Amino acid sequence: VIVPACVSVCPVDCLHFEEGVDRILYSDPNECIDCGACEPECPVNAIFPEDQVPAEWADYTQMNALWFTDRAAARAMVDAAKPAG
């Protein structure tokens, strides 16, 4: 299992994904302590405090929250926003 650096530095293990299924990582807003340890470790610079998410990435905030209640719907949203290929 290849674990991204941002996952391995999280002190509360709030970054989740299913290897081989998910194309992005999901941060559990109920587990995250906003320590910021993951931000500089993100290999694609995609982790932001919620109030600082760039406008072009705003839809991913909804996808992230949805994953914890409906993984299939969140994955469909990711696929629609950024088709695999």
Side-chain angles (χ1 to χ4, degrees):
V1 174
I2 297 174
V3 177
C6 50
V7 173
S8 60
V9 300
C10 180
V12 294
D13 296 322
C14 74
L15 297 169
H16 304 276
F17 69 105
E18 288 184 42
E19 186 172 0
V21 179
D22 289 309
R23 297 174 43 217
I24 66 173
L25 299 177
Y26 299 90
S27 175
D28 188 330
N30 295 316
E31 294 175 356
C32 181
I33 59 172
D34 296 323
C35 70
C38 59
E39 292 175 39
E41 298 299 325
C42 179
V44 294
N45 299 318
I47 301 175
F48 303 91
E50 188 172 3
D51 63 347
Q52 295 176 26
V53 174
E56 66 267 23
W57 298 107
D59 290 344
Y60 284 88
T61 301
Q62 180 184 2
M63 293 174 208
N64 182 83
L66 182 59
W67 190 83
F68 294 94
T69 59
D70 188 344
R71 291 181 181 181
R75 291 173 181 142
M77 288 181 72
V78 170
D79 289 342
K82 187 165 177 75

